[in-house]
Amino acid sequence: MSRGRSARRARRGNTLFAIVGLAVVAIMLLGTFVTLLPPSGPGNDGLERQDASVQVTPGAEVARLETQVSRNPDDIDAMVVLAEVLANSGRSTEAVPWFERAIASRPDDAQLRLAFARTLMRMGSWYDAELQLLAAYDSASDDASVAYYLGELYETRTQPDLVSAVNWYGKAVELDPGSVVANQAQDRLTTLGPATGSPVASPSS
């Protein structure tokens, strides 16, 4: 795949996931706002009504998105938002099949695979997360965020591979120097470089 085509896909993916991110943040903020509201009446009755409101808010959004997808199975954007809402509300296991369905329709979407990989990493599913990240890198080898999370995976998995982690962090810095991702990668390199006893090198593309 050409670099220009990869970049266009990465930009489309970034736009979608910016929207997804805003939706998830809005849901979380709404839940926090409801939590901070005082009880609507004296005694435990008011507290029970307050707790019910906190519990129903994310669930209602999930139900709405599931209904939307069931009515339009080709609405991949809604499917991605549903997966992200589930993953970011502590329901990662439920998010997995939605990510898988979305990826089946968009196998070359690097940002979608990255989001799925991050969910798998939170679950400790390191092997599956690695497969998703490597597939994302194949689709968008110029995306520094993919390289960064490959570095994070190799650093934090059950059996770390610090040399590989350093190589991928170095690749992230090389791809987008001066960016937030590159700065984060450089911080990890500063910590890990001496520990590996190896010079920073980029993995072969």
Side-chain angles (χ1 to χ4, degrees):
M1 179 179 297
S2 68
R3 182 173 294 271
R5 196 174 168 195
S6 295
R8 287 195 298 274
R9 282 186 171 166
R11 284 195 295 273
R12 286 199 300 271
N14 288 333
T15 300
L16 170 60
F17 280 94
I19 294 171
V20 169
L22 289 173
V24 171
V25 169
I27 292 167
M28 297 306 170
L29 287 176
L30 180 58
T32 303
F33 174 73
V34 173
T35 302
L36 294 174
L37 287 176
S40 56
N44 291 332
D45 181 58
L47 289 173
E48 289 170 359
R49 285 197 297 273
Q50 178 185 353
D51 290 343
S53 296
V54 174
Q55 293 169 4
V56 88
T57 300
E61 180 63 9
V62 168
R64 182 189 70 79
L65 288 164
E66 286 177 335
T67 299
Q68 184 174 339
V69 172
S70 67
R71 289 175 178 172
N72 182 8
D74 295 326
D75 190 346
I76 306 304
D77 289 346
M79 199 177 296
V80 172
V81 174
L82 173 58
E84 285 279 37
V85 170
L86 287 167
N88 286 284
S89 57
R91 300 167 64 179
S92 296
T93 301
E94 296 174 65
V96 168
W98 293 109
F99 275 121
E100 290 174 338
R101 284 181 60 182
I103 287 172
S105 296
R106 294 181 181 172
D108 295 329
D109 189 329
Q111 289 299 311
L112 176 52
R113 287 189 181 274
L114 175 57
F116 187 22
R118 293 179 65 185
T119 296
L120 292 168
M121 288 168 68
R122 287 195 294 268
M123 296 170 63
S125 299
W126 303 110
Y127 176 75
D128 292 331
E130 181 181 20
L131 291 179
Q132 292 300 324
L133 286 170
L134 290 174
Y137 185 74
D138 285 343
S139 296
S141 59
D142 55 353
D143 190 326
S145 61
V146 174
Y148 176 87
Y149 280 105
L150 274 162
E152 184 174 285
L153 179 140
Y154 289 120
E155 179 186 358
T156 60
R157 69 184 186 180
T158 305
Q159 296 180 324
D161 179 351
L162 298 185
V163 173
S164 292
V166 165
N167 287 344
W168 284 107
Y169 285 138
K171 185 69 172 178
V173 173
E174 174 190 317
L175 286 170
D176 197 7
S179 67
V180 173
V181 169
N183 290 339
Q184 292 174 332
Q186 188 60 59
D187 288 342
R188 299 312 307 146
L189 286 172
T190 300
T191 301
L192 295 177
T196 65
S198 302
V200 175
S202 298
S204 58
S205 57

